[in-house]
């Protein structure tokens, strides 16, 4: 007996692949930050201290110079990345098992976590509040924007209707 695949199988496959790519990416980022803690620790410290910005007096009051607060922020970023990776890995696994409704829901949570981290955290807070855009040395806006856009595309693909009446 042969079965005819539904015409929306490609959409589900795309959602699963995009979710998997982002799961792999953020898992590698979290692993790198855990195993090579010092490299991005310096990045976070410099961004929060605003020590490589234009040092405009009207902005420097925003600087966080306490290394304890800087390191706390960095650890919270790593925890967020790790949880997002686990959520996205679960979403990918659910897509592979063809549990589409739960895969869509779990993947959405993980992708929203990435959008919050890279959009609100790095682009808005790091880029604007801490004026990271002014730094030639410690500027992660291009990388953050790439991941923000990729996560956004993946979220849109995850949310596209798949033609079933019971789709969310």
């Amino acid at each position: 007996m042969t079965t005819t695949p539904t015409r929306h199988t490609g959409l589900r496959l795309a959602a699963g692949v995009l979710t998997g790519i982002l799961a792999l990416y953020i898992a590698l980022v979290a692993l790198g930050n855990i195993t090579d803690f010092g490299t991005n620790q310096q990045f976070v410290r410099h961004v929060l201290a605003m020590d490589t910005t234009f040092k405009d007096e009207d902005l420097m009051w925003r600087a966080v110079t306490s290394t304890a607060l800087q390191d706390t922020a960095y650890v919270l970023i790593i925890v967020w990345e790790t949880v997002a990776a686990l959520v996205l890995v679960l979403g990918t696994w659910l897509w592979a098992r063809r549990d589409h409704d739960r895969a869509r829901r779990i993947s959405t949570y993980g992708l929203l976590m990435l959008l919050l981290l890279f959009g609100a955290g790095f682009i808005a807070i790091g880029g604007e509040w801490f004026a990271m855009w002014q730094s030639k040395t410690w500027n992660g806006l291009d990388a953050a924007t790439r991941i923000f856009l990729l996560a956004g595309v993946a979220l849109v693909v995850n949310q596209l209707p798949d033609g079933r009446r019971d789709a969310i």
Side-chain angles (χ1 to χ4, degrees):
M1 173 180 206
T2 61
T3 59
T4 305
T6 63
R7 61 176 232 218
H8 299 288
T9 302
L11 183 61
R12 291 174 174 173
L13 178 61
V17 168
L18 285 168
T19 301
I21 288 168
L22 286 157
L24 175 63
Y25 170 79
I26 199 65
L28 292 173
V29 168
L31 180 65
N33 285 338
I34 292 166
T35 60
D36 183 19
F37 189 85
T39 299
N40 281 330
Q41 177 189 35
Q42 292 308 308
F43 179 88
V44 170
R45 282 184 173 180
H46 285 288
V47 169
L48 295 180
M50 299 174 69
D51 57 3
T52 60
T53 65
F54 301 161
K55 298 186 180 163
D56 183 336
E57 291 178 19
D58 294 330
L59 298 180
M60 290 308 292
W61 64 271
R62 301 174 183 177
V64 175
T65 56
S66 163
T67 56
L69 288 176
Q70 293 167 346
D71 291 347
T72 299
Y74 182 46
V75 168
L76 290 173
I77 290 168
I78 294 170
V79 168
W80 189 269
E81 292 167 344
T82 303
V83 172
L86 293 171
V87 170
L88 288 168
V89 165
L90 176 59
T92 304
W93 182 74
L94 290 168
W95 281 116
R97 288 190 42 130
R98 297 184 181 182
D99 187 349
H100 302 122
D101 291 337
R102 288 191 339 158
R104 179 177 285 119
R105 187 173 56 254
I106 298 300
S107 296
T108 296
Y109 297 150
L111 294 167
L112 288 173
M113 289 180 75
L114 292 185
L115 290 172
L116 284 169
L117 178 63
F118 289 96
F122 295 135
I123 296 171
I125 295 170
E128 289 302 318
W129 185 256
F130 290 107
M132 182 170 57
W133 66 270
Q134 295 178 1
S135 177
K136 291 182 180 173
T137 311
W138 302 102
N139 186 341
L141 287 174
D142 286 344
T145 301
R146 281 192 303 270
I147 299 309
F148 181 80
L149 290 174
L150 183 57
V153 168
L155 182 60
V156 168
V157 171
N158 266 269
Q159 296 303 311
L160 288 174
D162 63 1
R164 298 175 335 158
R165 281 188 226 164
D166 60 341
I168 38 180

